[in-house]
Amino acid sequence: MSVTVAIKNTSDNPVPAYATIDSAGVDLYANNPAPISLDPMQRVIVPTGVYIALPQGYEVQVRPRSGLAFKHGLTLVNTPGTIDADYRGEIGVLMINFGEEPFEIQKGMRIAQMVLAKYERIGWEEVEELPPTARGEGGFGHTGAH
């Protein structure tokens, strides 16, 4: 199953594509005019040159690439980042370096992945009390084995 999404690619990079038949996400490429040196604990928004128009009822989640996270400590500050259906600006990737060494982001480097997700909107029903459960208010580790 596929959903048609309008895309404007102002970079020299390829249009985001699936690497394999069962890939959930498509890679986003850096479109920075000059290399970006990202020091440990430094954040930067990396431009992609990609603009999209999603159908109503869908979002795109921007997620880290596991290889960059494992090998270099690079991840995304807001993960997953959400691209809403009504956003028409350039997709920027908010990266952070949790590694111990500076990392240089080159133009054309695969820096993140996007996953299309359908969502439902919430219709609130205000109540005085919530229905009880066996768990109750237990959180932060209360559902796992001790």
Side-chain angles (χ1 to χ4, degrees):
M1 183 175 111
S2 67
V3 175
T4 301
V5 174
I7 185 168
K8 177 180 165 186
N9 183 7
T10 63
S11 76
D12 297 331
N13 298 317
V15 170
Y18 295 97
T20 69
I21 191 74
D22 289 323
S23 295
V26 296
D27 286 328
L28 279 173
Y29 299 87
N31 190 43
N32 41 308
I36 299 171
S37 183
L38 192 57
D39 291 325
M41 299 308 296
Q42 184 181 7
R43 300 176 305 272
V44 67
I45 297 176
V46 181
T48 64
V50 171
Y51 303 73
I52 60 175
L54 296 169
Q56 189 175 32
Y58 288 87
E59 66 163 327
V60 163
Q61 297 176 0
V62 181
R63 301 178 180 180
R65 294 195 66 246
S66 59
L68 286 177
F70 178 71
K71 295 174 187 172
H72 305 286
L74 292 181
T75 191
L76 308 185
V77 177
N78 61 327
T79 183
T82 295
I83 307 295
D84 293 311
D86 58 353
Y87 177 67
R88 295 296 183 266
E90 179 179 14
I91 295 174
V93 177
L94 183 53
M95 301 188 77
I96 188 166
N97 182 356
F98 283 135
E100 297 174 0
E101 303 292 328
F103 185 86
E104 192 165 272
I105 300 168
Q106 300 285 339
K107 183 176 183 177
M109 178 180 288
R110 294 180 303 157
I111 55 169
Q113 57 183 325
M114 294 192 304
V115 175
L116 181 69
K118 188 168 180 58
Y119 64 86
E120 299 289 331
R121 294 190 53 100
I122 297 172
W124 298 111
E125 176 188 350
E126 291 192 57
V127 297
E128 294 296 321
E129 297 288 329
L130 296 176
T133 65
R135 179 178 177 177
E137 294 182 14
F140 296 102
H142 279 75
T143 60
H146 299 291

